[in-house]
Amino acid sequence: MSAGGAEKTPRRADTRRVLIDAAARVFLERGFARATTKEIAQAAGVAEGTIYRHFDDKYALFHEVFLAVAGDTAQELAHFHERAGRGTVRENLERLLQLLSGMIEHTTSLTASIWADPEMARRFEAYIRERMPMGLQGGPVAVAAAYLRAEQECGRVRDDVDALEAAAVVVSVPFASGMQRALHQHLPGPGDFPAPGAAALEILARGLEPGGGERPGGD
């Protein structure tokens, strides 16, 4: 009995993994709106009803695909505020921009069809806010704001900085860069981020006022 039970768990996990992989392919090829659970089941080589033994609906499946595609990036972002007081603010901002850029690189094509439909985008946003790992429910801006507030408590970010507004600026850098490339029919890819990111990092770390913030090699 116990041996049989031990065999079922890996098989269930394997089926779930197969479904997520198949759904990722179908969503990328067809877009979320046009992809059907029947197509996903066919791609996975299972009966359509199998999907609903693992996921509540197509939104739940998409959410798992998103987390799988995002990989370890989502987990690192969820705990990013714990970096406060360690390393330098410049180093941490650089890592945050890298993480966000990587997230865009791996999820832009996947989520494009959802954000193109306002009603679908609203439903999906509400869905992921309820189910995202702790620390990610508010999205990238909330992640960046939590980190900046933690650094303010450490005395490493100016008290007069509005953490939420500053976070919006930080997050806009990789998103704006990704959108610009997308408009030129070139989605973000490996190696695309560092050049524009270096200039943006300098502005973010030093601040807008001459002599403000940290300088490279400074004490």
Side-chain angles (χ1 to χ4, degrees), residues 32-47:
F32 180 83
R34 292 190 299 166
T36 67
T37 52
K38 182 177 181 179
E39 290 174 320
I40 294 169
Q42 289 176 340
V46 300

Side-chain angles (χ1 to χ4, degrees), residues 90 198-208:
R90 178 182 294 276
L201 174 63
E202 182 67 13
I203 294 171
L204 292 171
R206 291 179 57 186
L208 296 179

Side-chain angles (χ1 to χ4, degrees), residues 13-14 39 42 46 51 57 64 71 73 78 92 99-100 109 113 134 141 155 162 169 171 179 186 188 205 213 219:
D14 289 345
E39 290 174 320
Q42 289 176 340
V46 300
I51 292 176
D57 51 29
E64 290 300 320
T73 298
N92 291 336
L99 288 171
L100 292 175
S109 297
S113 64
M134 288 296 294
V141 173
D162 184 301
V169 173
V171 171
M179 285 296 294
H186 176 57
D219 296 331

Side-chain angles (χ1 to χ4, degrees), residues 120-213:
M120 192 178 295
R122 184 191 65 76
R123 289 180 59 191
F124 181 64
E125 184 176 10
Y127 186 98
I128 62 175
R129 282 183 183 278
E130 295 177 0
R131 294 164 175 80
M132 271 292 190
M134 288 296 294
L136 285 182
Q137 295 93 334
V141 173
V143 168
Y147 164 69
L148 292 175
R149 291 190 187 103
E151 288 288 22
Q152 285 177 322
E153 293 178 3
C154 295
R156 304 206 310 171
V157 168
R158 296 190 341 242
D159 289 337
D160 62 337
V161 168
D162 184 301
L164 191 59
E165 291 185 358
V169 173
V170 170
V171 171
S172 72
V173 173
F175 276 89
S177 183
M179 285 296 294
Q180 183 180 30
R181 286 191 288 272
L183 288 173
H184 288 84
Q185 297 183 336
H186 176 57
L187 294 176
D192 282 351
F193 179 73
L201 174 63
E202 182 67 13
I203 294 171
L204 292 171
R206 291 179 57 186
L208 296 179
E209 296 180 350

Side-chain angles (χ1 to χ4, degrees), residues 1-53:
M1 185 92 174
S2 59
E7 290 177 358
K8 289 180 181 179
T9 300
R11 281 204 297 269
R12 181 176 177 82
D14 289 345
T15 300
R16 184 180 177 87
R17 180 73 259 172
V18 168
L19 285 168
I20 291 173
D21 290 343
R25 294 194 302 272
V26 175
F27 286 141
L28 284 171
E29 293 171 2
R30 302 275 292 156
F32 180 83
R34 292 190 299 166
T36 67
T37 52
K38 182 177 181 179
E39 290 174 320
I40 294 169
Q42 289 176 340
V46 300
E48 186 176 4
T50 303
I51 292 176
Y52 297 101
R53 291 203 292 271

